[in-house]
Amino acid sequence: MARKQTARTVVEGFLLRTRRVLAHSLIREQAAVMSKLHSGEFTLLVTVDRKTGDETHRIQAEYPPEEALESLASRVRPLILRKEPIYYEKALNALEEVVGADTLSDEIDLAWWHDYWRQVIDANLAAQAYWVETPSGSVTDRKLMYAWLYGDVIHAQSPTAPAIRDLDIDHRYYAAAPGIARICDRVIYTQIMMKGLIDSGLLVVDPEVLTSNVAVTTTRLDEPVRAFTAPIGTPVPGHPSPGGLAALDPAVWRSPGEDICELGGTAD
C-alpha cells in the first residue's frame, strides 16, 4: 500500500531527493564543468585572413559524458514533473503548510521561490541562453532540453517540431546539459533554504531524512547470511515460511558445508 502523502511527507520526500541529486558524481566531483554549463560559458575562436580579410568562427564548449548527465537528469526529474508528489511546486506549497504561512513569510518570499524554479523549467518561456535558427524555423534551448530529456532519454519519441527535427541528438544534448545544470542550481539552494528552516526549529522533519543513505556507495556485497541447499526441483518454501528456518526438513535442506564434506572437500 502506498504511503499516504501529507504536507510533511512531501517536504521530506523533496529533501531526500535533493540529497540524492547532490550525491551525484557530477555535482560532487565536476563542479567546474557544471558551473560552466550553468553560466553558458563557451569559447569563440576567430580567425582572420590578413590578406583577404575573411573571417572564420568556431565555438567550443565542454560537456560531461551523456551517460553521466542522463543519470543526473533521472535524479532531477521527479522535482520537475508535475504529476510527481515531490514536484517543486507541491513541495513549496507543502512547506508553507508545515511551517505556517505567516511564520514562513517572515523568513522567505515564497512567491520568489516559485518563480525561481519556474524560470528554469518552463519550456514556454524565452530562451535561457540561445535559440537556434534552422531551415524549418527557430527553437529555443528550453525546447531542445525537453526534446532530449523526453524524446531521447525517457520515451524514445521522435521530435514533432520541424525545427527540432532539423537538429541531431548532439545539438539537443548541448542544449539540455546547461538546462539540467541550472535546475541543479535550484536544487542546491532550495535545500540550503530548507535546512536553514530546520536549523532554526521552524521546520521539523524525521532526522533520518537528513542522515539516511540516499545513494549506493558500496558495489561489493559482503555480509553474513544463512544458506541452505536442496536437490534440484525441491519446492521453495513459501515466504514467510511457517515456523521459520526451524521448519525446514533437515533431510532435504542441508548446509553447504555438509554437502562439501560429503563430496570429500573442505568446508573452510
Side-chain angles (χ1 to χ4, degrees), residues 21 28 59 65 72-73 95 108 134 137 179 183:
V21 172
R28 291 185 294 105
I59 187 172
L72 178 58
L95 180 66
I108 66 169
T134 80
I183 293 171

Side-chain angles (χ1 to χ4, degrees), residues 21 24 26-27 34 37-38 64 66 68-77 79-80 117 120-121 128 141-142 144-146 148-150 153-154 172-188:
V21 172
H24 194 279
L26 284 181
I27 304 296
M34 296 301 289
L37 290 175
H38 176 274
E66 187 192 25
L69 194 86
E70 185 174 334
S71 69
L72 178 58
S74 71
R75 294 189 181 192
V76 164
R77 185 171 176 257
L79 305 177
I80 65 173
W117 275 85
V120 295
I121 72 165
Q128 292 192 73
D141 53 351
R142 293 177 184 272
L144 288 173
M145 178 183 77
Y146 284 111
W148 174 79
L149 182 60
Y150 290 109
V153 174
I154 298 174
R172 294 192 290 274
Y173 177 68
Y174 297 155
I180 297 298
R182 295 184 188 107
I183 293 171
C184 289
D185 177 76
R186 270 51 177 175
V187 173
I188 293 169

Side-chain angles (χ1 to χ4, degrees), residues 229-235 252-253:
T229 65
I232 296 175
T234 302
V252 178
W253 294 93

Side-chain angles (χ1 to χ4, degrees), residues 113 116 184-194:
W113 283 95
Y116 181 59
C184 289
D185 177 76
R186 270 51 177 175
V187 173
I188 293 169
Y189 284 103
T190 306
Q191 191 205 57
I192 291 173
M193 177 268 286
M194 288 187 172

Side-chain angles (χ1 to χ4, degrees), residues 70-126:
E70 185 174 334
S71 69
L72 178 58
S74 71
R75 294 189 181 192
V76 164
R77 185 171 176 257
L79 305 177
I80 65 173
L81 191 61
R82 189 175 297 274
K83 69 179 182 180
E84 291 285 345
I86 57 172
Y87 175 59
Y88 86 91
E89 186 175 28
K90 296 176 182 177
L92 291 175
N93 290 337
L95 180 66
E96 183 178 39
E97 184 176 340
V98 173
V99 176
D102 292 339
T103 301
L104 189 62
S105 65
D106 290 337
E107 300 294 325
I108 66 169
D109 182 346
L110 191 62
W112 181 90
W113 283 95
H114 277 285
D115 187 63
Y116 181 59
W117 275 85
R118 188 177 68 85
Q119 289 296 326
V120 295
I121 72 165
D122 192 334
N124 297 314
L125 294 179

Side-chain angles (χ1 to χ4, degrees), residues 190-213:
T190 306
Q191 191 205 57
I192 291 173
M193 177 268 286
M194 288 187 172
K195 289 188 71 174
L197 294 172
I198 293 171
D199 292 341
S200 66
L202 298 176
L203 175 62
V204 178
V205 298
D206 186 333
E208 289 193 3
V209 169
L210 303 177
T211 59
S212 62
N213 292 335

